[in-house]
Amino acid sequence: MPSQTANFYTVNHSNYPIKTIGILGGGQLGLMLAQAALPLGIRCVFLEDSPNCPARLLGQVFSSEQFDEFSQSCDIFTLEFENTPLKPAQVLESTKQLYPSSFALSVAQDRLNEKNLFNQLSIATVPFLAVNHKEDIQKAITTLGLPLVLKTSRGGYDGKGQFVLKTADQMDTAWAELGEATKTAPLIAEGFINFEREVSIIAVRGQTGEIRYYPLAQNEHHDGILAKSTVPAPNTEHLTQQAQHNIKKLLEHLNYVGVLTLELFVTPDGLLANEIAPRVHNSGHWSIEGAVCSQFENHIRAVAGLPLGDTSITKPSVMLNVIGKYPVLADVLAIEGVHVHNYDKAEREGRKIAHITVMPSDSSQLEAAVSQVAALLSTTHQAHS
């Protein structure tokens, strides 16, 4: 896209004092944020070093070498990914408005800091220990037992950067795979729990402190990658209050503005917090069609200082990620109640390249429609494997 001045993107109207929103990152989350901003008369630009990123379709993309130009193009900034480098966020925050804050970003980037904050706020977690040396793995096994989940405390996404130890003789293998990471930050060892299922709660907090909550989503993962989200999560009425209470404590402690996601394990004793994502989240993609106001629009509203929208569902829905290979579009669209979101990303094994939200007009047909879509995705995967 040719270079544009900031005024090209500025909404020049007395009732619209909001200028361009700058987004750190240009992936599919940035794309969908920009799509939600457009009807509000708000434009987005992006800081992203991949010139073919999905967000290029809806706004100017600045490389990291163009950071100064990016920082001057907007008055308000946000982010789409928690692994965004901290330093640029801090630089922007020193002179401009950044939501959520660099402090919230720094907490979410470090699993040890995150777990310690949960415990500080009396939010239950799995037991955990820091691992700085290979000998610490044995200490963790003694304290936490086996199986044991060993993770990098920084980085890692969609199941990457972790190793499940089932026996003590796997210590050398685990250290060989993850030990290099301790040169920059400790690993984290987490006790293994037999949870019933995984859920997430997404909430949005405005600049006035108002908080609105989306219903819990039930999430299913394959190979560490989110494959399916069901909303509302079945049989979670007794868990909703605890989930809302936990995320409210986090939002207020962090003085958070925007959408925050809290991933949780469901156990017989209640919920255990897994991690937070300081951004819009894959388990909330259903909300584009399935909620009165989507997570993407509500994040834009919060960042721009606008009133928050209604988070109620319009009807039950299921979101399925398209991973690796695209199915035949006509076959998917032939299924009633299907909404396709293509991210314009090249096919690659293990890569999220689109999502499909299923919400037929007759909710009694939801399960059947989901099965049809899942069969198409499975056939596509098998045909290319």
Side-chain angles (χ1 to χ4, degrees):
M1 180 177 290
S3 178
Q4 305 281 358
T5 64
N7 286 336
F8 179 85
Y9 294 100
T10 301
V11 180
N12 294 309
H13 192 287
S14 59
N15 291 329
Y16 278 83
I18 302 155
K19 296 183 179 181
T20 307
I21 294 176
I23 299 177
L24 282 74
Q28 64 263 23
L29 300 180
L31 171 67
M32 289 183 276
L33 284 168
Q35 288 170 332
L38 277 173
L40 302 178
I42 298 171
R43 302 294 185 267
C44 297
V45 296
F46 309 90
L47 185 68
E48 171 63 62
D49 283 329
S50 174
N52 293 320
C53 65
R56 77 189 190 286
L57 300 172
L58 282 181
Q60 185 177 2
V61 177
F62 295 87
S63 70
S64 55
E65 294 180 354
Q66 299 172 300
F67 179 78
D68 289 343
E69 187 179 351
F70 171 74
S71 67
Q72 293 167 12
S73 69
C74 318
D75 292 320
I76 305 171
F77 296 86
T78 189
L79 52 96
E80 63 129 30
F81 192 45
E82 63 265 33
N83 287 333
T84 296
L86 191 58
K87 185 175 180 181
Q90 292 171 328
V91 170
L92 289 172
E93 196 173 45
S94 67
T95 57
K96 302 290 183 75
Q97 293 176 297
L98 173 70
Y99 304 115
S101 69
S102 63
F103 173 59
L105 180 61
S106 69
V107 170
Q109 285 184 346
D110 189 301
R111 291 185 175 90
L112 278 167
N113 288 344
E114 191 176 57
K115 288 287 197 301
N116 285 323
L117 176 60
F118 290 160
N119 288 179
Q120 177 188 335
L121 297 176
S122 299
I123 297 172
T125 67
V126 298
F128 65 94
L129 290 172
V131 172
N132 291 285
H133 309 284
K134 186 166 73 171
E135 294 74 20
D136 293 337
I137 302 177
Q138 181 59 62
K139 296 176 185 176
I141 291 173
T142 301
T143 305
L144 305 176
L146 288 168
L148 183 76
V149 183
L150 192 66
K151 300 178 182 179
T152 56
S153 59
R154 292 179 173 271
Y157 185 66
D158 284 344
K160 300 177 180 67
Q162 57 182 274
F163 190 101
V164 179
L165 286 87
K166 297 180 180 178
T167 60
D169 59 12
Q170 291 181 294
M171 284 194 299
D172 289 343
T173 305
W175 185 255
E177 188 169 319
L178 300 179
E180 186 73 15
T182 59
K183 292 181 177 179
T184 56
L187 302 178
I188 181 172
E190 298 179 355
F192 195 87
I193 58 163
N194 292 311
F195 57 89
E196 298 171 357
R197 50 190 168 140
E198 296 179 66
V199 298
S200 58
I201 183 167
I202 294 174
V204 58
R205 184 174 184 266
Q207 294 181 27
T208 63
E210 177 190 7
I211 298 173
R212 296 199 179 192
Y213 308 94
Y214 288 92
L216 270 67
Q218 179 171 298
N219 303 317
E220 298 175 30
H221 295 78
H222 294 158
D223 298 325
I225 303 173
L226 180 65
K228 176 183 177 182
S229 292
T230 301
V231 182
N235 303 314
T236 53
E237 294 81 3
H238 63 297
L239 301 173
T240 296
Q241 184 175 357
Q242 183 186 359
Q244 291 182 354
H245 183 61
N246 286 346
I247 200 168
K248 181 176 187 288
K249 287 192 283 190
L250 288 163
L251 287 164
E252 292 180 343
H253 178 82
L254 297 170
N255 193 25
Y256 196 93
V257 172
V259 164
L260 179 72
T261 306
L262 175 61
E263 299 176 9
L264 299 151
F265 297 120
V266 179
T267 76
D269 298 321
L271 297 172
L272 295 179
N274 180 25
E275 60 186 32
I276 57 171
R279 55 172 172 84
V280 288
H281 194 259
N282 196 174
S283 68
H285 290 0
W286 64 272
S287 65
I288 297 174
E289 291 86 19
V292 176
C293 184
S294 76
Q295 64 164 346
F296 299 100
E297 181 178 337
N298 255 333
H299 186 79
I300 293 295
R301 287 186 183 210
V303 168
L306 297 170
L308 301 182
D310 187 348
T311 54
S312 302
I313 64 169
T314 56
K315 64 180 63 176
S317 58
V318 173
M319 187 281 304
L320 299 165
N321 273 329
V322 179
I323 301 170
K325 298 288 183 180
Y326 290 106
V328 177
L329 181 61
D331 292 345
V332 177
L333 293 180
I335 301 169
E336 198 272 325
V338 160
H339 302 269
V340 176
H341 294 263
N342 187 314
Y343 305 153
D344 196 47
K345 295 168 74 171
E347 294 178 326
R348 189 174 71 207
E349 186 177 355
R351 189 184 204 189
K352 289 183 285 193
I353 55 177
H355 76 264
I356 299 168
T357 301
V358 186
M359 44 184 300
S361 54
D362 182 354
S363 294
S364 68
Q365 299 301 310
L366 178 59
E367 185 175 343
V370 169
S371 295
Q372 288 181 272
V373 174
L376 286 175
L377 295 178
S378 177
T379 301
T380 300
H381 180 76
Q382 291 173 4
H384 291 86
S385 61

